């Protein structure tokens, strides 16, 4: 960075003139983070919600700004969307806020509390998934980094020199076949990991779904776990995050980092009565998601198709819902 | 002996000569120039004649230092543990040590690990940063070595590293930073371990209410246990956290200084900047959290009309702390943002806003609200907060369970009323414990090495009736025994006190002396008093020395034979302690340890000490109960109890206190003579009772108030230490009582917090106080007293602790408070309130009236001249039916004999003050006759014939007594005769002869 370069005015980031979007993102994110932290520290839940909402504006703005920057300085074959971690965090506030949105939305109809817990969870996951899709639509598709088709299946535009050519044998049917075949070994592996961890640590992470007492609840749970969650999560973790890392660096990073973020996201809504108990539960919850995450990442690299990974994810989730009920 | 330091210097000089590059002088194997060896003087240095002197003499120095510095604490630790084992609490000692040790080591280790990781991180980032920024430039200049080739320490180099230029180029040596980190970690470890009580309580926190129902503070709605247990720990964690992050920041910052000095902060790489920003951001977040704790601690705020959250706190300070929390958190976020983006202005803006908000919102705005909103309209705004303070203070001091009864108190006293409450007069306190102690010390110590320390009042079953007794233990006073203080006498022969003295509180014998029902050595019981079968007192209230029991010389037990005949030494009875709870001195090591600990060589070398000997050490009650439960505040006055089995025990009340009760006012015990409390508290419970066997020293603690959250939490910390009260033997349970110090504290709070109306409280026109010492130098200060009395509305007499109360600035009595002690009524407190406009006389008014009574005043003045002094005891207020009778004994003390004798008892009502030689006489004078000696029961005849017959009988008895030379009986009969004649006079309408 040369000293001779003319210093731009107040609106600068890292010494260069900042696009308004980036500045907005930075200020909104920092304010939102501050408010959210203050709320968590005890200044009150409304502040925390306001902070999250601000973060929900600021972080997508930052992600969008970063995508615009990459449009300029990244080759076409590389990843020109927002960074994978940025995308992940940009979707997070609204996923966390989904219940609040629902509480507000259902207030005229008697309130969120009166809903069946299974339906409530379904709606919550639905809102979270829609929010995720919206953020991806704004920051990835909207910035022109990729089209929806690029995210869903291996279009020629999504071909990258850093990734091996996809195995597209069998086409869509092949995707479905892979998705049906892999869950069995993955389930076996995951159950071994889970039983070892649960027995050695004593911490049992609670299921993200409410227990199904009747057929309606079971159906709702099946729709949540077998349809909505897989679509929303695959769009984010494989469609954008694995793709971004794959096109930036290569398949190994794509698999590993998308798995880590995937597992990490599943620890966020957990807690314990003490800090150490909460930590232990979170670690267990993290670890038991790793086998599935790795399998999904590997399958995506191989097939480069969200159809395959959604199928795998759905079959895996449905199996777990059925087993546990 | 040679001087080791000189040797050392010589050796250094010699080695410098040898170490010079002279290949022929260094017989190294490979012939290379010798490496600096200064760090390893004992290593493979060349051997030359005379070297061997050095290590030996040098080694001695650290060995001696180590012995001195390690042995002391080590011996202290071992001997302490042995003592705790003898107390039956060896495990407790180690557990407590373990708690502190664990806290220290874990806090130190975690802090040190954190700081080290931060340092490593900083070092790694700084190196990478420097390499990234200037790969060609030689960043790390060679530092002059601290030890040069000749093995000399280069002080210049060491100092040079601190000087500006060199320091900023190279930074401090990493080792120094690590030492700094270790010091900070140790500091944090000490902070954690010294807060072990707070942390242990928090770990075993329980809900305030034993049932688990939440009892919450009125503002934040948190359970009170949050304030008692959690908030102090959160504050501690916040302070430790900020210390730790600040230290990490400073240490890492030092590590980054070379880079910053060379290229400036702005040019520092992203990673170091991010690292620093995260730490500062963490500090800011901790500060933000601190604001939230400040907000919670507003429940202790003393601003506003009452303690606790007040209007200004709610209107100004609570939002202020929230806003400041937001500012601090946003500053943290912008700081991290600034580190990542180098965009600093939002951070600067936030900091400026934060700073001005801090001044405006915590300083100016609350003042503004207070001055312009609250002050002009104070009560209207503060009313709910005053109500909170009233409610919580009453809860904190247990006043919410006190019942209140209206009490007229101004009925005319009649003989019939006295007859109805004769039982209350049976145990009228003619003896005050203070003069009685002086008297006992004169009459009953028998030998100069004994001492009556303290006289206690307690109830005993005497001949099938509950009676009020005063009793005191005859303890050994080593200070008084100093004349004969040879080592053997002091530590082997004189080991224990013996026996007790017991006097009925109303028992006056001939010559104004106490009527001793337990007396002499060995103790003799009479008149139905309990028999003391094990009178030996090895553990007591007196400060005492350690003793060895089971030595070759038997212990002196008590003097036998007539002291007057002079043969006191020949006939001494001896004894040997049969207990097993002493510290065994079986082995040489045992004796060595305690010889070091007690600084007494004789313990080691005396052949008096055998393998059967035991050491009795730290024998005072205070030491023993405090050692077992340092977290309990112990009453200043343990009281002596004669058990059913004839043994002696002390019982002592323990209080759990806190100053963390939300919205409750602090009670400051300073200067009030409440020895249990040494600091202001706003919560107190009489939750622990301890019993100490005076012979074996066995000390047991019982939970007396199982609802108290603090004692329940401690029971969790030390399971097995506190026994349930049901495990206390029944004969000791019969002597349970409401502790006086705790009652005093609660009464004084009650004096202000008896009101439940905020308006009344706010006006402060119904504030009461404990009447301070009555007028005149002759009177002893008034205090709460235990009496046996029939409380108004109750059927029978009971043992009660009574405290009269007066309004501030007015001498009239406004109420009196009685704590009940017997059976299932234990712990109930009743407040008897007079009407607000009551003209019932308070103690100081009665005192003044006594002083002004012509007869009493004249006689007192006559007595109180050279040769004797007059002392008046505690003024006892006794409720009799619908009125009060004030009793105050008068003692006369000759300067020559120096013990007070009972002379007169003053009896008074609001309208009349009289005194008499006996209580009956005084009462008769008070009501104009008709009162029969309550001690004898029976009734006064009401017809002329009966009275004449009785008068004649009494006169005969008096004459008989006079012939027999029994003047006391004569006086008694004549006094009784006077009463009968008075009654006759009343009956016949004639004047008193």
């Amino acid at each position: 960075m040369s000293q001779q370069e003319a210093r731009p005015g107040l609106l600068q980031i890292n010494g260069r003139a900042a696009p308004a979007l980036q500045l907005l993102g930075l200020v909104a994110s920092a304010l939102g983070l501050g408010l959210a932290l203050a709320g968590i520290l005890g200044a009150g839940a409304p502040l925390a919600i306001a902070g999250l909402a601000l973060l929900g504006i600021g972080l997508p703005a930052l992600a969008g700004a970063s995508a615009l920057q990459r449009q300029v300085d990244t080759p076409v074959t590389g990843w020109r969307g927002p960074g994978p971690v940025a995308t992940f965090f940009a979707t997070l506030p609204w996923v966390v806020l989904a219940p609040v949105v629902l509480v507000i939305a259902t207030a005229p109809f008697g309130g969120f509390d009166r809903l069946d817990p299974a339906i409530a969870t379904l709606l919550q996951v639905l809102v979270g998934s829609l929010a995720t899709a919206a953020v991806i639509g704004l920051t990835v598709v909207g910035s022109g980094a990729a089209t929806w088709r690029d995210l869903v299946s291996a279009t020629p535009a999504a071909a990258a020199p850093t990734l091996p050519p996809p195995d597209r044998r069998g086409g869509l049917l092949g995707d479905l076949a892979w998705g049906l075949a892999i869950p069995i070994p993955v389930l076996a592996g995951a159950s071994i990991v889970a039983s070892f961890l649960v027995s050695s640590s004593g911490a049992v992470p609670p299921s993200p779904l409410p227990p199904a007492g009747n057929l309606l609840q079971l159906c709702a749970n099946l729709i949540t776990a077998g349809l909505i969650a897989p679509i929303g999560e695959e769009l984010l973790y494989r469609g954008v995050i694995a793709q971004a890392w794959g096109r930036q660096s290569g398949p190994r990073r794509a698999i590993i980092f998308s798995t880590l973020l995937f597992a990490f996201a599943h620890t966020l809504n957990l807690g314990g009565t003490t800090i150490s108990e909460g930590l232990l539960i979170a670690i267990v919850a993290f670890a038991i998601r790793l086998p599935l995450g790795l399998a999904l990442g590997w399958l995506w690299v191989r097939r480069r198709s969200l159809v395959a990974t959604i199928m795998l994810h759905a079959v895996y989730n449905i199996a777990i819902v059925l087993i546990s009920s | 002996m040679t001087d080791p330091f000189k040797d050392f210097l010589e050796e250094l000089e010699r080695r410098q000569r040898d170490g010079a590059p002279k290949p022929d002088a260094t017989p190294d194997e490979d012939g290379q120039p010798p490496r600096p060896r200064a760090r390893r003087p004992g290593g493979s240095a060349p051997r030359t004649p005379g070297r061997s002197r050095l290590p030996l003499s040098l080694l001695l120095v650290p060995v001696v230092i180590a012995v001195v510095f390690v042995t002391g604490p080590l011996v202290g630790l071992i001997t302490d543990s042995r003592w705790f084992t003898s107390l039956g609490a060896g495990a407790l000692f180690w557990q407590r040590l373990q708690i502190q040790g664990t806290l220290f080591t874990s806090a130190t280790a975690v802090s040190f690990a954190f700081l080290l990781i931060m340092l490593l991180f900083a070092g790694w980032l700084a190196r990478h940063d420097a390499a990234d920024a200037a790969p060609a430039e030689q960043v790390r200049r060679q530092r002059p070595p601290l030890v040069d080739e000749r093995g000399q320490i280069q002080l210049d180099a060491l100092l040079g590293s601190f000087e500006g230029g060199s320091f900023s180029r190279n930074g401090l040596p990493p080792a120094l930073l690590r030492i700094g980190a270790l010091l900070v970690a140790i500091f944090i470890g000490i902070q954690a371990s010294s807060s072990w009580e707070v942390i242990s309580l928090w770990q075993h926190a329980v809900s305030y209410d034993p049932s688990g129902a939440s009892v919450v503070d009125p503002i934040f709605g948190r359970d009170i246990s949050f304030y008692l247990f959690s908030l102090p720990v959160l504050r501690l964690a916040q302070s430790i956290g900020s210390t730790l992050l600040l230290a990490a920041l400073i240490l890492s910052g030092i590590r980054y200084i070379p880079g910053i000095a060379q290229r400036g902060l702005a040019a520092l790489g992203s990673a170091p900047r991010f690292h620093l920003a995260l730490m500062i951001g963490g500090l800011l977040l901790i500060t933000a959290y601190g604001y939230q704790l400040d907000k919670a601690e507003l429940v202790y705020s003393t601003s506003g009309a009452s303690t606790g959250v007040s209007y200004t706190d709610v209107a100004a300070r609570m939002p202020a702390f929230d806003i400041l929390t937001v500012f601090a958190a946003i500053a943290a976020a912008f700081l991290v943002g600034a580190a990542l983006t180098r965009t600093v202005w939002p951070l600067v803006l936030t900091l400026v806003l934060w700073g001005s908000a801090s001044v405006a919102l915590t300083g100016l705005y609350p003042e503004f609200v207070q001055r312009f909103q609250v002050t002009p309209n104070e009560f209207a705004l503060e009313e709910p907060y005053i109500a909170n303070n009233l409610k919580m203070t009453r809860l904190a001091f247990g006043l919410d369970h006190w019942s209140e009864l209206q009490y007229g108190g101004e009925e005319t006293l009649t003989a019939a009323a006295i007859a109805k409450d004769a039982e209350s007069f049976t145990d009228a306190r003619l003896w005050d414990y203070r003069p009685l102690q002086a008297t006992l010390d004169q009459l009953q110590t028998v030998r100069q090495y004994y001492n009556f320390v303290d006289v206690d009042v307690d109830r005993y079953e005497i001949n099938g009736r509950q009676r009020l007794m005063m009793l005191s233990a005859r303890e050994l006073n080593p200070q008084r025994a100093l004349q004969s203080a040879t080592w053997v006498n002091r530590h082997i022969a004189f080991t224990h006190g013996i026996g007790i003295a017991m006097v009925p509180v109303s028992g006056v014998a001939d010559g104004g002396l106490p009527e001793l029902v337990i007396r002499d050595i060995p103790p003799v019981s009479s008149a139905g008093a309990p028999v003391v079968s094990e009178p030996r007192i090895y553990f007591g209230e007196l400060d005492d020395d350690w003793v060895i029991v089971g030595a070759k010389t038997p212990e002196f037990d008590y003097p036998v034979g007539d002291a007057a005949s002079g043969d006191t030494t020949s006939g001494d009875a001896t004894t040997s302690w049969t207990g097993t709870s002493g510290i065994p001195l079986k082995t040489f090591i045992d004796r060595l340890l305690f010889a070091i600990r007690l600084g007494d060589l004789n313990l080691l070398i005396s052949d008096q000490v055998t393998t059967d000997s035991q050491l009795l050490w730290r024998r005072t009650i205070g030491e023993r109960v405090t050692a077992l439960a340092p977290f309990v505040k112990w009453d200043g006055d343990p009281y002596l109890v004669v058990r059913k089995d004839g043994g002696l025990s002390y019982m002592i009340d323990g209080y759990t206190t806190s100053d963390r009760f939300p919205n409750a006012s602090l009670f400051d015990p300073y200067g009030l003579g409440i020895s249990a409390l040494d600091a202001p508290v706003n919560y107190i419970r009489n939750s622990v009772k301890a019993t100490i066997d005076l012979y074996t020293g066995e000390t047991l603690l019982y939970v007396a108030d199982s609802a108290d959250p603090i004692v329940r939490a401690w029971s969790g910390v030390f399971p097995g230490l506190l026994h349930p009260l049901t495990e206390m033997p029944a004969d000791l349970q019969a002597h349970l009582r409401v502790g006086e110090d705790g009652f005093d504290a609660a009464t004084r709070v009650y004096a202000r917090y008896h009101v439940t109306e905020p308006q009344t409280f706010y006006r402060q026109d119904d504030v009461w106080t404990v009447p301070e010492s009555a007028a005149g130098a002759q009177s002893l200060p008034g205090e709460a007293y235990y009496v046996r009395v029939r409380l108004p509305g109750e059927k029978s007499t009971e043992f009660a602790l009574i405290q009269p109360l007066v309004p501030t600035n007015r001498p009239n009595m406004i109420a009196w408070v009685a704590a009940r002690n017997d059976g299932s009524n234990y712990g109930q407190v009743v407040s008897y309130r007079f009407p607000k406009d009551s003209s019932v006389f308070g103690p100081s008014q009665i005192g003044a009236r006594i002083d002004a009574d012509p007869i009493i005043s004249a006689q007192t003045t006559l007595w109180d001249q050279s040769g004797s002094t007059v002392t008046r005891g505690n003024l006892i207020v006794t409720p009799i039916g619908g009125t009060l009778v004030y009793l105050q004994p008068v003692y006369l003390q000759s300067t020559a004999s120096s013990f007070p004798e009972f002379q007169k008892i003053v009896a008074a009502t609001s309208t009349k003050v009289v005194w008499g030689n006996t209580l009956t006489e005084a009462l008769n004078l008070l009501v104009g006759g008709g009162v029969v000696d309550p001690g004898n029961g029976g009734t006064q005849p009401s017809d002329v014939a009966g009275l004449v017959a009785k008068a004649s009988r009494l006169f005969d008895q008096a004459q008989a007594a006079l012939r027999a030379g029994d003047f006391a009986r004569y006086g008694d009969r004549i006094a009784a005769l006077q009463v009968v004649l008075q009654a006759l006079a009343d009956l016949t309408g004639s004047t008193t002869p």
Side-chain angles (χ1 to χ4, degrees), chain B residues 919-949:
Chain B
L919 179 63
T920 315
E921 183 188 329
L923 289 176
N924 270 315
L925 289 171
L926 200 60
V927 299
V931 177
V932 179
D933 181 359
N936 301 335
T939 53
Q940 190 86 310
S942 55
D943 58 325
V944 177
L947 282 170
V948 169

Side-chain angles (χ1 to χ4, degrees), chain A residues 10 12-14 26-27 30-31 33-35 37-38 41-43 47, chain B residues 285 288-289 292 295 322 325-326 329-330 333-334 340-343 345:
Chain A
L10 197 59
Q12 53 162 308
I13 282 174
N14 277 334
L26 179 71
V27 173
L31 275 175
L33 181 64
L35 285 177
L37 286 173
L41 288 177
L47 269 186
Chain B
L285 281 188
Y289 188 57
Q292 287 301 309
K295 184 174 137 191
D322 277 347
T325 308
V326 170
I330 290 178
F334 274 133
L340 286 176
T341 63
R342 301 178 200 230
T343 303
W345 63 266

Side-chain angles (χ1 to χ4, degrees), chain B residues 744-777:
Chain B
D744 280 349
T747 318
R748 286 180 153 88
V749 175
Y750 177 76
R752 185 153 162 65
Y753 281 88
H754 60 91
V755 276
T756 46
E757 272 298 308
Q759 178 79 61
T760 320
F761 183 85
Y762 177 70
R763 282 203 309 265
Q764 298 209 14
D765 59 358
D766 197 15
V767 181
W768 305 345
T769 181
V770 170
E772 295 310 333
S773 54

Side-chain angles (χ1 to χ4, degrees), chain B residues 77 80-82 84-85 88-105 193 196-197 199-201 203-204 627-631 712-722:
Chain B
L77 198 68
D80 272 346
S81 101
R82 301 287 294 276
F84 269 90
T85 309
L92 177 81
F93 176 74
W94 290 114
Q95 192 194 348
R96 208 178 295 157
L97 216 61
Q98 188 204 336
I99 290 175
Q100 285 170 281
T102 312
L103 281 175
F104 176 77
T105 43
S193 73
W196 73 274
E197 296 196 346
I199 296 172
S200 301
L201 273 181
Q203 284 172 324
H204 295 84
L628 283 178
F631 46 84
R712 281 187 290 136
W714 280 118
S715 300
V717 179
F718 299 116
L721 172 65
L722 300 158

Side-chain angles (χ1 to χ4, degrees), chain B residues 529-607:
Chain B
V531 175
V532 181
S533 55
E534 182 48 87
R536 294 172 187 87
I537 298 166
Y538 284 85
F539 301 86
E541 280 189 77
L542 262 191
D543 231 10
D544 62 351
D545 232 331
W546 52 273
V547 297
I548 295 167
V549 291
K552 273 195 184 141
T553 307
E555 301 166 37
F556 165 81
D557 198 14
Y558 54 86
V560 182
D562 193 357
S565 67
D567 66 334
T568 49
T569 46
S570 58
D572 287 346
T574 59
T575 184
S576 193
W577 192 64
T578 57
T580 53
S581 50
I583 302 166
L585 294 175
K586 276 201 174 60
T587 65
F588 176 77
I589 298 288
D590 296 336
R591 294 167 62 174
L592 178 66
L593 281 172
F594 283 96
I596 296 174
R597 178 63 194 261
L598 302 171
D600 193 323
L601 184 64
N602 288 333
L603 190 59
L604 187 63
I605 57 173
S606 168
D607 60 356

